[in-house]
Amino acid sequence: AEKQVLPPVSGCQSTDPDQPGYTYAGLEDQEALDMVLWRTLLDGLANGIKSTLLSNAGGVGCLVQRGSVLALRAILLRHGPSFSTAQWKVILTETLVPAIQAAAESDGSQVISITSESPSISIVD
């Protein structure tokens, strides 16, 4: 299992997020098992993205949302290539797209500026 993060469980389930082994439904057995650790992490960051908590420290607003986006971006850039097409499909449809949609729908603030259009540079205010 070189360069893979293995789940700390021996089984998986997709019905109860409060029970061990919670993963995405609809994946093959090994793919589902591989996503046990990732599901919890990605869901937590998705909750941060759609958080309505407002903050302003050091002139930077929405620290929870911004931090969650940056952490998620770093994780996906680093580990994204290890996900299969089926895993990407459930990550996008069950976690990322709903979180981004909920965040966009609940955000009433105006974008001040977009400093760079490059995906390798993440400076959005």
Side-chain angles (χ1 to χ4, degrees):
E2 186 177 323
K3 294 189 178 189
Q4 284 191 329
V5 178
L6 300 176
V9 296
S10 60
C12 59
Q13 51 87 19
S14 58
T15 56
D16 187 352
D18 295 325
Q19 295 299 314
Y22 184 59
T23 188
Y24 294 101
L27 295 173
E28 297 293 327
D29 291 340
Q30 188 57 49
E31 286 182 329
L33 189 60
D34 290 345
M35 294 307 292
V36 168
L37 179 65
W38 291 113
R39 175 83 195 243
T40 304
L41 182 63
L42 297 174
D43 282 355
L45 290 170
N47 286 337
I49 290 170
K50 60 185 178 182
S51 170
T52 56
L53 179 66
L54 297 177
S55 59
N56 192 8
V60 178
C62 305
L63 289 175
V64 172
Q65 298 88 339
R66 181 182 293 239
S68 297
V69 168
L70 293 177
L72 183 62
R73 178 182 180 274
I75 288 168
L76 295 178
L77 284 173
R78 173 68 175 92
H79 298 283
S82 66
F83 298 140
S84 71
T85 302
Q87 289 169 326
W88 267 111
K89 180 181 176 185
V90 294
I91 290 168
L92 289 170
T93 59
E94 294 185 33
T95 302
L96 298 183
V97 171
I100 293 169
Q101 181 175 356
E105 290 172 354
S106 67
D107 183 16
S109 62
Q110 297 293 321
V111 173
I112 298 168
S113 68
I114 299 176
T115 307
S116 172
E117 294 180 10
S118 170
S120 64
I121 301 172
S122 60
I123 302 174
V124 177
D125 292 326

